[in-house]
Amino acid sequence: SAFRPRRMLRWHYRSRHSALIRFSNRMMYDDDLVVFPSSNEDDPSMGVFSTFTSGIYKAGLNPIEGEAVVEAALNFMKTDPNRSLGIVAMNKSQSDFINERLQYAIARDKKATDYVERWNAERGGLEEFFVKNLENVQGDERDVIFISTVYGPPAPGERIRQAFGPLNGATGKRRLNVLFSRAKEQVRTFTSMTSG
Protein backbone atom coordinates (compact mmCIF):
# COMPACT_ATOMS: atom_id res chain seq x y z
CA SER A 1 0.00 0.00 0.00
CA ALA A 2 3.03 2.31 0.22
CA PHE A 3 3.30 2.39 -3.57
CA ARG A 4 0.84 4.50 -5.53
CA PRO A 5 -0.18 3.40 -8.02
CA ARG A 6 -0.11 -0.25 -6.94
CA ARG A 7 2.69 -2.26 -8.54
CA MET A 8 2.69 -5.95 -9.34
CA LEU A 9 5.54 -8.40 -9.64
CA ARG A 10 6.55 -8.62 -13.32
CA TRP A 11 8.90 -11.59 -13.43
CA HIS A 12 10.12 -14.45 -11.27
CA TYR A 13 13.86 -14.77 -10.67
CA ARG A 14 14.02 -18.04 -8.71
CA SER A 15 12.55 -20.63 -11.07
CA ARG A 16 15.03 -22.23 -13.43
CA HIS A 17 12.21 -24.17 -15.10
CA SER A 18 9.01 -22.62 -16.41
CA ALA A 19 6.75 -25.29 -14.84
CA LEU A 20 7.76 -24.13 -11.35
CA ILE A 21 6.06 -20.76 -11.72
CA ARG A 22 3.34 -21.65 -14.25
CA PHE A 23 0.65 -22.47 -11.66
CA SER A 24 1.28 -19.33 -9.58
CA ASN A 25 1.44 -17.21 -12.71
CA ARG A 26 -2.00 -18.45 -13.77
CA MET A 27 -3.74 -18.52 -10.39
CA MET A 28 -2.15 -15.56 -8.59
CA TYR A 29 -0.86 -13.20 -11.27
CA ASP A 30 -3.43 -13.63 -14.09
CA ASP A 31 -0.65 -14.77 -16.47
CA ASP A 32 0.94 -11.30 -16.21
CA LEU A 33 4.37 -12.56 -15.10
CA VAL A 34 7.07 -12.76 -17.71
CA VAL A 35 8.21 -16.40 -17.56
CA PHE A 36 11.55 -17.02 -19.16
CA PRO A 37 11.88 -20.30 -21.06
CA SER A 38 14.48 -22.64 -19.67
CA SER A 39 17.21 -24.20 -21.76
CA ASN A 40 16.52 -27.47 -19.95
CA GLU A 41 12.74 -27.83 -20.21
CA ASP A 42 13.11 -31.58 -20.95
CA ASP A 43 15.59 -32.32 -18.15
CA PRO A 44 13.98 -34.95 -15.86
CA SER A 45 15.76 -33.50 -12.82
CA MET A 46 13.86 -30.22 -13.24
CA GLY A 47 10.20 -29.21 -13.24
CA VAL A 48 7.16 -30.52 -11.39
CA PHE A 49 6.48 -34.17 -10.55
CA SER A 50 3.90 -36.06 -8.52
CA THR A 51 4.22 -39.33 -6.63
CA PHE A 52 1.01 -41.13 -5.65
CA THR A 53 1.44 -42.89 -2.30
CA SER A 54 -1.90 -44.68 -1.59
CA GLY A 55 -1.78 -43.25 1.93
CA ILE A 56 -4.53 -43.03 4.54
CA TYR A 57 -5.26 -39.77 6.38
CA LYS A 58 -6.36 -39.98 10.01
CA ALA A 59 -6.05 -37.61 12.94
CA GLY A 60 -3.87 -35.12 11.05
CA LEU A 61 -1.37 -37.73 9.85
CA ASN A 62 -0.68 -39.75 6.73
CA PRO A 63 2.09 -42.18 7.81
CA ILE A 64 2.28 -44.06 4.49
CA GLU A 65 2.84 -40.79 2.62
CA GLY A 66 5.29 -39.62 5.28
CA GLU A 67 7.38 -42.78 4.95
CA ALA A 68 7.43 -42.33 1.14
CA VAL A 69 8.80 -38.82 1.63
CA VAL A 70 11.46 -40.07 4.05
CA GLU A 71 12.56 -42.81 1.66
CA ALA A 72 12.71 -40.39 -1.28
CA ALA A 73 14.65 -37.82 0.76
CA LEU A 74 17.26 -40.38 1.83
CA ASN A 75 17.62 -41.53 -1.77
CA PHE A 76 17.96 -37.92 -2.92
CA MET A 77 20.68 -37.21 -0.35
CA LYS A 78 22.70 -40.17 -1.63
CA THR A 79 22.18 -39.73 -5.38
CA ASP A 80 21.90 -35.94 -5.78
CA PRO A 81 24.19 -34.41 -3.12
CA ASN A 82 24.97 -31.28 -5.14
CA ARG A 83 21.44 -29.89 -4.87
CA SER A 84 19.81 -28.47 -1.76
CA LEU A 85 16.55 -29.97 -0.46
CA GLY A 86 13.64 -28.79 1.63
CA ILE A 87 10.56 -30.75 2.69
CA VAL A 88 7.21 -29.12 3.39
CA ALA A 89 4.10 -30.78 4.80
CA MET A 90 0.66 -29.18 4.86
CA ASN A 91 0.42 -29.42 8.65
CA LYS A 92 2.69 -29.53 11.68
CA SER A 93 1.76 -33.09 12.68
CA GLN A 94 2.96 -34.44 9.33
CA SER A 95 6.12 -32.32 9.27
CA ASP A 96 6.97 -33.52 12.80
CA PHE A 97 6.35 -37.13 11.75
CA ILE A 98 8.61 -36.79 8.68
CA ASN A 99 11.30 -34.93 10.62
CA GLU A 100 11.40 -37.50 13.41
CA ARG A 101 11.69 -40.42 10.97
CA LEU A 102 14.30 -38.61 8.90
CA GLN A 103 16.49 -37.61 11.84
CA TYR A 104 16.52 -41.24 12.98
CA ALA A 105 17.42 -42.48 9.48
CA ILE A 106 20.03 -39.77 8.84
CA ALA A 107 21.84 -40.60 12.11
CA ARG A 108 22.28 -44.17 10.83
CA ASP A 109 23.38 -43.34 7.29
CA LYS A 110 26.80 -41.81 6.66
CA LYS A 111 25.96 -40.46 3.20
CA ALA A 112 22.80 -38.79 4.49
CA THR A 113 24.71 -37.37 7.47
CA ASP A 114 27.39 -36.04 5.12
CA TYR A 115 24.69 -34.44 2.95
CA VAL A 116 23.09 -32.61 5.88
CA GLU A 117 26.45 -31.46 7.24
CA ARG A 118 27.57 -30.27 3.81
CA TRP A 119 24.46 -28.14 3.29
CA ASN A 120 24.70 -26.75 6.83
CA ALA A 121 28.02 -25.24 5.75
CA GLU A 122 27.49 -24.70 2.00
CA ARG A 123 26.72 -21.09 0.99
CA GLY A 124 27.00 -20.02 4.60
CA GLY A 125 24.19 -22.36 5.63
CA LEU A 126 21.62 -20.41 3.61
CA GLU A 127 20.33 -23.58 1.97
CA GLU A 128 20.56 -26.09 4.82
CA PHE A 129 18.26 -29.09 4.69
CA PHE A 130 14.91 -28.54 6.42
CA VAL A 131 11.54 -30.13 7.18
CA LYS A 132 8.80 -27.55 7.81
CA ASN A 133 5.06 -27.16 7.78
CA LEU A 134 3.23 -24.86 5.36
CA GLU A 135 3.00 -21.93 7.78
CA ASN A 136 6.78 -21.78 8.36
CA VAL A 137 8.22 -22.04 4.86
CA GLN A 138 8.15 -18.39 3.77
CA GLY A 139 11.56 -16.99 2.82
CA ASP A 140 13.14 -20.38 2.18
CA GLU A 141 14.67 -21.23 -1.19
CA ARG A 142 16.08 -24.62 -2.22
CA ASP A 143 17.04 -26.37 -5.44
CA VAL A 144 14.41 -29.05 -4.81
CA ILE A 145 11.28 -29.01 -2.65
CA PHE A 146 9.39 -32.14 -1.64
CA ILE A 147 5.76 -31.52 -0.65
CA SER A 148 3.66 -33.88 1.45
CA THR A 149 0.02 -32.98 0.81
CA VAL A 150 -0.98 -35.10 3.87
CA TYR A 151 -4.71 -35.26 3.10
CA GLY A 152 -6.28 -38.37 1.66
CA PRO A 153 -9.03 -40.93 2.20
CA PRO A 154 -9.75 -42.12 5.76
CA ALA A 155 -9.75 -45.70 4.41
CA PRO A 156 -9.02 -47.29 1.02
CA GLY A 157 -11.71 -46.37 -1.51
CA GLU A 158 -13.49 -43.84 0.72
CA ARG A 159 -14.20 -40.23 -0.23
CA ILE A 160 -11.75 -37.55 0.80
CA ARG A 161 -13.21 -34.88 3.07
CA GLN A 162 -12.93 -31.42 1.57
CA ALA A 163 -11.34 -30.03 4.74
CA PHE A 164 -7.75 -29.09 4.11
CA GLY A 165 -6.73 -27.28 7.29
CA PRO A 166 -5.01 -23.93 6.68
CA LEU A 167 -5.60 -24.20 2.94
CA ASN A 168 -9.34 -23.66 3.46
CA GLY A 169 -8.68 -20.41 5.33
CA ALA A 170 -8.54 -16.86 4.03
CA THR A 171 -4.78 -17.00 3.51
CA GLY A 172 -4.67 -20.53 2.06
CA LYS A 173 -4.25 -19.41 -1.54
CA ARG A 174 -1.40 -17.07 -0.63
CA ARG A 175 0.33 -19.78 1.45
CA LEU A 176 0.19 -22.19 -1.48
CA ASN A 177 1.65 -19.53 -3.77
CA VAL A 178 4.56 -19.04 -1.35
CA LEU A 179 5.10 -22.81 -1.15
CA PHE A 180 4.99 -23.40 -4.90
CA SER A 181 7.57 -20.72 -5.54
CA ARG A 182 10.26 -21.99 -3.10
CA ALA A 183 12.02 -24.32 -5.54
CA LYS A 184 14.68 -23.24 -8.02
CA GLU A 185 14.82 -26.47 -10.03
CA GLN A 186 12.23 -29.06 -9.03
CA VAL A 187 9.06 -29.65 -7.01
CA ARG A 188 8.06 -33.19 -6.17
CA THR A 189 4.65 -33.64 -4.61
CA PHE A 190 3.77 -36.74 -2.59
CA THR A 191 0.03 -37.23 -2.42
CA SER A 192 -2.64 -39.72 -1.50
CA MET A 193 -5.23 -37.95 -3.66
CA THR A 194 -5.84 -38.44 -7.35
CA SER A 195 -7.15 -35.68 -9.60
CA GLY A 196 -10.56 -37.41 -9.41
Side-chain angles (χ1 to χ4, degrees):
S1 64
F3 295 103
R4 300 277 185 231
R6 185 172 170 215
R7 297 177 187 200
M8 291 295 292
L9 184 66
R10 292 296 303 140
W11 58 282
H12 186 69
Y13 71 91
R14 183 178 301 115
S15 302
R16 296 180 186 154
H17 192 281
S18 65
L20 297 173
I21 194 63
R22 191 174 295 130
F23 178 81
S24 289
N25 191 21
R26 168 79 38 92
M27 301 307 291
M28 297 296 292
Y29 303 109
D30 297 320
D31 283 324
D32 282 340
L33 286 181
V34 175
V35 177
F36 302 102
S38 172
S39 61
N40 42 20
E41 290 291 313
D42 297 325
D43 185 339
S45 69
M46 313 246 328
V48 178
F49 299 91
S50 182
T51 300
F52 183 69
T53 64
S54 300
I56 301 299
Y57 174 72
K58 284 187 180 175
L61 278 179
N62 189 329
I64 294 170
E65 187 175 295
E67 294 292 353
V69 172
V70 169
E71 185 179 321
L74 289 171
N75 185 56
F76 180 91
M77 291 173 181
K78 296 173 193 177
T79 61
D80 207 349
N82 295 322
R83 295 198 299 170
S84 59
L85 175 66
I87 298 173
V88 181
M90 292 297 142
N91 66 26
K92 185 165 181 357
S93 297
Q94 186 80 353
S95 67
D96 288 347
F97 175 88
I98 292 169
N99 191 43
E100 182 181 308
R101 296 292 196 282
L102 257 175
Q103 294 308 320
Y104 181 82
I106 289 168
R108 284 155 180 70
D109 188 308
K110 174 134 178 50
K111 284 189 175 182
T113 300
D114 290 346
Y115 176 90
V116 171
E117 288 174 357
R118 174 193 175 178
W119 283 101
N120 282 345
E122 190 86 12
R123 300 180 191 152
L126 289 176
E127 292 188 45
E128 67 184 356
F129 170 71
F130 70 78
V131 178
K132 294 185 178 184
N133 63 328
L134 179 64
E135 289 88 354
N136 295 324
V137 74
Q138 189 155 348
D140 291 300
E141 177 179 300
R142 299 297 182 272
D143 294 322
V144 178
I145 297 287
F146 286 179
I147 300 171
S148 175
T149 63
V150 184
Y151 306 104
E158 288 191 20
R159 280 184 66 106
I160 296 169
R161 269 185 71 226
Q162 300 290 310
F164 301 121
L167 300 180
N168 285 99
T171 61
K173 186 176 175 181
R174 199 168 56 236
R175 287 179 177 176
L176 279 178
N177 182 52
V178 167
L179 170 57
F180 293 152
S181 60
R182 299 299 90 203
K184 294 185 280 186
E185 296 182 2
Q186 185 182 62
V187 168
R188 186 168 167 198
T189 301
F190 296 79
T191 187
S192 302
M193 299 183 285
T194 64
S195 59

